[in-house]
Amino acid sequence: MNDRLSGKRAVVTGGTRGLGRAIADAFAAEGAHVVCAGRTDPAGHPDWPREFTYLPVDVTDADSVEEMMSRAADTLGGIDIVVANAGVSIDGRVHRTTAADWATTMAVNVNGVFHTTRSAIPHLEKTGGTIINVSSSMATRVAVGAAAYCASKAAVEMFTKVSAAELGSRNITVNCLAPGILDGGIADDLAQNPKAWELYRDRLIAKRVGRVAEAAAGAVFLASADSSYVNGHVLEVNGGLLWA
């Protein structure tokens, strides 16, 4: 165990699975106390750590996020780190994307980050803290069939930069983690499709997909004192992703 986050109190939305869970695990390994918030209760799952606290939340609902953040502060005795990780991806070219699909993507990926940030401010400004918003490499790269997702993540990155400028005077830093193709997500589908993998492999300087633990390590950096002079930054963890 390391101690870069020793004694820190962290809240991770979408923290029960995937990248959110990996971030929660990495924070705990560095000494943090972690609340994982999400829509699915992980109780009873064999690999759910007893030291993690789960709180229910619907990030599209401002009142739900406010209630969760207050409960997390009570549980942890305060909050130092907030990770807005909850997100969805609904595939579809523009002409096939329904109004409902577009609205759902924006409600979770954009409104969810806004609600999480807004509800965290009163807690983080008490002693100073940090917000990490999770974006994607697709925020700055054209991906055919992912207009809603790309647009939502581009919005998250600009929201991060504006928030950093506004909240710096409140002793709150705001940064963004933008992962590339990671295992457990699109990479699993690529691995089962040799032709698709051949295409994507040539776009990765690393010639391999990333591990969620590698992206989570980026979150640890942004949450720790190692990044004390980093603010309003988008940290890409993508193995050197080129995009045509």
Side-chain angles (χ1 to χ4, degrees):
M1 177 183 289
N2 298 311
D3 60 0
R4 283 186 290 172
L5 301 179
S6 180
K8 296 294 184 181
R9 300 155 299 183
V11 177
V12 182
T13 67
T16 62
R17 60 181 181 174
L19 177 58
R21 170 61 190 279
I23 290 172
D25 287 340
F27 281 5
E30 293 284 350
H33 306 290
V34 184
V35 163
C36 294
R39 289 184 294 183
T40 304
D41 189 343
H45 198 280
D47 70 344
W48 182 250
R50 289 180 297 175
E51 66 269 23
F52 285 2
T53 298
Y54 165 77
L55 291 177
V57 71
D58 176 358
V59 297
T60 69
D61 184 331
D63 291 338
S64 175
V65 180
E66 289 275 1
E67 180 181 359
M68 179 277 293
M69 204 68 70
S70 294
R71 290 181 62 190
D74 290 342
T75 299
L76 298 171
I79 302 173
D80 304 296
I81 305 162
V82 171
V83 181
N85 168 72
V88 297
S89 176
I90 301 175
D91 295 333
R93 291 178 179 244
V94 174
H95 70 283
R96 287 200 298 262
T97 299
T98 66
D101 287 344
W102 179 272
T104 296
T105 302
M106 296 301 161
V108 177
N109 294 0
V110 182
N111 297 356
V113 170
F114 166 70
H115 296 323
T116 301
T117 296
R118 191 170 183 275
S119 66
I121 293 171
H123 304 285
L124 295 176
E125 68 181 351
K126 291 179 181 178
T127 57
T130 189
I131 297 171
I132 303 169
N133 297 321
V134 176
S135 177
S136 166
S137 294
M138 290 168 68
T140 54
R141 295 166 177 84
V142 173
V144 174
Y149 185 77
C150 292
S152 70
K153 292 304 185 179
V156 167
E157 295 193 0
M158 183 51 71
F159 178 75
T160 296
K161 295 174 182 180
V162 175
S163 298
E166 293 184 358
L167 300 180
S169 62
R170 295 174 180 259
N171 202 24
I172 299 172
T173 61
V174 189
N175 290 294
C176 197
L177 179 70
I181 302 172
L182 304 178
D183 58 6
I186 188 176
D188 290 346
D189 295 330
L190 292 177
Q192 297 174 17
N193 187 330
K195 290 185 178 179
W197 171 236
E198 183 177 356
L199 175 65
Y200 277 89
R201 182 184 57 203
D202 291 339
R203 296 174 178 175
L204 292 165
I205 295 173
K207 301 303 178 187
R208 67 173 178 84
V209 299
R211 299 185 297 273
V212 289
E214 291 175 307
V220 170
F221 166 71
L222 292 174
S224 73
D226 292 343
S227 64
S228 59
Y229 203 55
V230 178
N231 198 13
H233 179 65
V234 178
L235 176 61
E236 293 205 32
V237 183
N238 59 28
L241 177 62
L242 307 174
W243 208 265

